[in-house]
Amino acid sequence: MPELPEVETVRRGLQPVLEGRRIAQALVRRDGLRWPFPDRMAERLTGAMVTGLNRRAKYLLVALDTGETLIIHLGMSGRMLVSDAEPGKHDHVVLEIEGGARVTFNDARRFGMMDLIESDRVHQHPLLADLGPEPLGNDFNALVLTTAFAGKKSPIKSALLDQTIVAGLGNIYVCEALWRAGINPLRLAGEVGSVDLLVRVIREVLSDAIEAGGSSLRDHRQTNGELGYFQHSFSVYGREGQACRTVGCLGVIERIVQSGRSTFWCPTCQIV
DNA sequence: CAGAAGCCCTGAAGGC
DNA sequence: TGCCTTCAGGGCTTCT
């Protein structure tokens, strides 16, 4: 499940493979993923040099010397592979890189997306225009979050999944952050008191995950070259029925459904 | 208008 | 073993 840390890990893994290199040939093996690919995508990618590899929220931004940027979203099951293997099932786009590397976009469930847009208009792309602040950046702080929460009648769990409030959190890291902050996920966003601790733990949980991804990235590159899916140990996510890991807490992790998504939390210590 | 539910899609996992 | 059902969730669309 690629959330911000996974996408950042993919970005860091692809950087040495792509940056400053030319796409010798782009192979597009189907019409699209969630939406159709842009017109003539293969032609527009072939021959282009990658001038920079950036990230906005959960989107990878591949800047090209053609003046266009390739926007990539991994959706739910999307992954990037660096390998010599011949394209197989669910390998939808293959980039042959000058010098021999091969980067493959694989996405079994096809919830991912790719689009091309002029580089100076990237942040006006419909999918990026309304995104909230980057949680690891300076624009994300207690004042901004308090303002965004003001008057909101949805549970704080749902509010944190809203990409216009803060961009890049997904179901897993929202659960982890609320647990670290001791906040009840059912609490209405507009009724949460101080968010200072919440801001701090959101930054922490994302930074920790990026660090963990970075360390496992080296191992993965040595084995099968797959970027993006890593073993993380979660404190609450997926731990229904197990003992809470908060020091001194004797609670048991519960699973509830909010806005159609599973929320894992400890009713004993998440009481703020 | 805000908030919640529906939808897309495939593979993994669990029940019988 | 194998078939069937349920679940996973990012983010847009539709409904209330």
Side-chain angles (χ1 to χ4, degrees):
Chain A
M1 302 129 245
E3 301 183 27
L4 187 153
E6 288 73 33
V7 177
E8 177 62 21
T9 301
V10 170
R11 189 192 73 79
R12 293 180 184 187
L14 284 179
Q15 204 157 28
V17 180
L18 289 181
E19 215 163 70
R21 299 232 159 76
R22 205 165 283 283
I23 300 170
Q25 187 166 16
L27 179 62
V28 178
R29 306 182 70 231
R30 59 177 302 121
D31 292 340
L33 299 167
R34 176 156 186 188
W35 296 293
F37 289 132
D39 287 341
R40 302 171 38 254
M41 183 166 83
E43 290 90 327
R44 288 156 76 182
L45 292 175
T46 296
M49 180 189 287
V50 177
T51 57
L53 199 52
N54 299 295
R55 179 190 57 75
R56 173 75 170 106
K58 301 170 193 172
Y59 294 90
L60 276 174
L61 307 175
V62 186
L64 307 170
D65 69 349
T66 57
E68 291 193 304
T69 290
L70 175 66
I71 302 176
I72 303 173
H73 196 292
L74 300 174
M76 258 295 297
S77 55
R79 47 185 94 184
M80 307 293 287
L81 301 100
V82 182
S83 92
D84 297 329
E86 288 303 309
K89 197 180 182 187
H90 306 313
D91 288 345
H92 307 307
V93 176
V94 180
L95 303 178
E96 304 282 356
I97 307 304
E98 214 167 56
R102 172 181 286 164
V103 175
T104 300
F105 181 93
N106 176 287
D107 185 7
R109 287 156 81 173
R110 305 204 298 275
F111 279 19
M113 64 83 62
M114 282 193 190
D115 202 1
L116 279 162
I117 189 171
E118 301 93 284
S119 293
D120 52 11
R121 292 184 52 241
V122 166
H123 297 285
Q124 290 148 47
H125 189 282
L127 293 171
L128 277 69
D130 296 327
L131 291 173
E134 285 286 322
L136 294 176
N138 291 331
D139 292 341
F140 179 65
N141 53 55
L143 177 60
V144 165
L145 195 56
T146 302
T147 305
F149 280 173
K152 276 203 88 67
K153 293 195 166 56
S154 56
I156 188 168
K157 161 70 191 307
S158 306
L160 288 174
L161 284 175
D162 182 343
Q163 302 295 297
T164 69
I165 290 181
V166 55
L169 291 175
N171 202 40
I172 292 172
Y173 294 111
V174 168
C175 291
E176 295 292 315
L178 289 175
W179 174 79
R180 287 195 191 195
I183 296 174
N184 184 332
L186 295 162
R187 176 97 46 221
L188 299 189
E191 293 172 4
V192 171
S194 169
V195 299
D196 289 309
L197 177 59
L198 179 58
V199 166
R200 200 154 66 239
V201 299
I202 286 173
R203 293 174 177 278
E204 264 177 25
V205 75
L206 295 177
S207 301
D208 290 352
I210 289 171
E211 199 174 329
S215 55
S216 61
L217 178 63
R218 287 190 291 275
D219 301 333
H220 271 260
R221 289 298 300 285
Q222 287 165 5
T223 53
N224 60 7
E226 181 177 314
L227 302 172
Y229 275 45
F230 308 107
Q231 294 287 81
H232 290 304
S233 58
F234 302 121
S235 296
V236 278
Y237 188 84
R239 298 193 63 246
E240 182 180 17
Q242 299 180 45
C244 178
R245 286 184 175 157
T246 297
V247 176
C249 178
L250 299 176
V252 174
I253 304 306
E254 279 189 10
R255 185 181 83 95
I256 57 175
V257 175
Q258 294 179 282
S259 304
R261 301 271 193 279
S262 289
T263 298
F264 295 90
W265 70 299
C266 174
T268 303
C269 69
Q270 291 181 239
I271 53 176
V272 177

